Amino acid sequence: MNNLTADQLAKYFDHTQLKAYATEDDFRALCAEAKQHNFMMVAINSVPVATCKALLAGSDVHVGAAISFPLGQTTIAVKCFETERAIAEGADEIDYVINVGKLKEGNYAWIEEEMRAIVTLCRAAGVCSKVIFETCYLTKDEIVRVAEIAREVKPDFVKTSTGFGTAGATVEDVALMKKTVGDAVKVKASGGVRDLDTCLAMIAAGAERIGSSNSVKILEEFRQRYPQ
C-alpha cells in the first residue's frame, strides 16, 4: 500500500447512493463528488441512470445501475429487461443481485442461466458486469459454488454484498472469492466499508473495486495519513 496514490485509490471507488428516499438533489451531490474526486463510478438504482449520465457528461466517471436491488427476487426475464433499459439510458456498468433463494435450494442451473443471460447482454453492449452474492446469507461452500460458476461465465466482477443485508463485506469472504475466481474475474467489496483501514484490508485481500457511500471520507483519511 506504500506505493498507492490518492488518485489511484479514488479509482477503486464506486461512489454509492442507493437509498429509497434519494432525491435528484442527492444525485446531483453524488455526481459532483464523483467528478471532483474522479471516482470510478456512481452506484445508483436504475431510475436515475439518465439523470446521472447527464450530470456526469464530459467526465470519465461511469454510471452503474443496480439491478433487482436489493433482494434479487425477480425473474431472469425481468432482470434482463431492467438491464437492457439501464444500458439504453446510459449505464456503463451493471451490478445485479443473484436469486439467493434459488441458490439455497441448490438450483445452480438457475444461477448459471441468470448469470449468463445478464453477462451476455452486458458483453454485447460493452458494459461492465458485476454479480452480487449477498454473502451474509451464504455458507462458505455456497460462496465458492457461485464463484466457480462465475469463473466459467466470466462476468467482470463478483461482488460481496448490497449493503442492505444483515452484514456487508468481510476480508475473509473477499479472500475466498478471489481465491476461487483467480485471475478470471475481479472482486468488488461492498457493504460496511466505512473507513480507510477496512478499505485497505479489502484491497489487500484481493478487492479491485470498493463500493461505499463513505468514499470521500475514506479518501480524505488516506490523504491525511499518507500526504503526497
Side-chain angles (χ1 to χ4, degrees):
M1 295 302 161
N2 292 337
N3 295 323
L4 188 67
T5 68
D7 288 344
Q8 289 169 334
L9 180 61
K11 279 304 183 186
Y12 275 86
F13 285 113
D14 289 353
H15 192 39
T16 304
Q17 175 49 272
L18 293 161
K19 301 298 186 186
Y21 48 80
T23 67
E24 185 167 328
D25 285 345
D26 294 314
F27 297 121
R28 288 185 180 280
L30 181 81
C31 292
E33 290 172 344
K35 286 197 292 187
Q36 177 185 351
H37 298 286
N38 199 25
F39 292 136
M40 186 66 199
M41 189 188 89
V42 292
I44 54 174
N45 285 298
S46 57
V47 169
V49 164
T51 297
C52 290
K53 190 71 173 180
L55 290 169
L56 291 167
S59 77
D60 63 355
V61 179
H62 287 183
V63 175
I67 302 299
S68 193
F69 197 88
L71 300 179
Q73 292 299 307
T74 51
T75 66
I76 295 172
V78 168
K79 289 181 183 180
C80 287
F81 176 79
E82 189 180 4
T83 297
E84 290 174 319
R85 288 305 307 154
I87 292 171
E89 291 178 4
D92 305 291
E93 306 196 12
I94 295 292
D95 295 40
Y96 86 90
V97 187
I98 69 165
N99 189 316
V100 176
K102 293 298 183 184
L103 176 62
K104 287 291 184 182
E105 293 168 3
N107 193 341
Y108 304 125
W110 178 290
I111 299 301
E112 181 173 351
E113 180 185 355
E114 180 179 78
M115 195 182 301
R116 285 192 185 279
I118 294 171
V119 170
T120 297
L121 287 172
C122 291
R123 194 173 289 146
V127 165
C128 177
S129 57
K130 307 191 197 84
V131 180
I132 306 174
F133 287 22
E134 201 66 297
T135 50
C136 61
Y137 299 134
L138 307 184
T139 66
K140 301 307 180 190
D141 287 344
E142 288 166 343
I143 290 171
V144 168
R145 190 69 187 90
V146 185
E148 287 173 341
I149 293 170
R151 190 174 62 205
E152 296 303 315
V153 177
K154 293 184 175 57
D156 294 286
F157 285 84
V158 290
K159 174 179 170 182
T160 57
S161 318
T162 63
F164 286 77
T166 56
T170 69
V171 169
E172 180 183 9
D173 287 344
V174 168
L176 179 61
M177 292 164 72
K178 187 58 185 174
K179 178 181 178 182
T180 307
V181 298
D183 293 332
V185 182
K186 297 175 183 178
V187 177
K188 175 177 172 179
S190 186
V193 184
R194 301 185 181 95
D195 57 63
L196 180 60
D197 287 336
T198 303
C199 176
L200 295 180
M202 296 297 177
I203 294 172
E208 295 186 57
R209 196 79 73 87
I210 302 292
S212 180
S213 57
N214 291 279
S215 317
V216 174
K217 172 183 173 291
I218 294 170
L219 193 59
E220 288 174 350
E221 190 178 349
F222 180 88
R223 288 188 171 120
Q224 289 172 3
R225 188 181 301 182
Y226 303 106
Q228 295 163 353

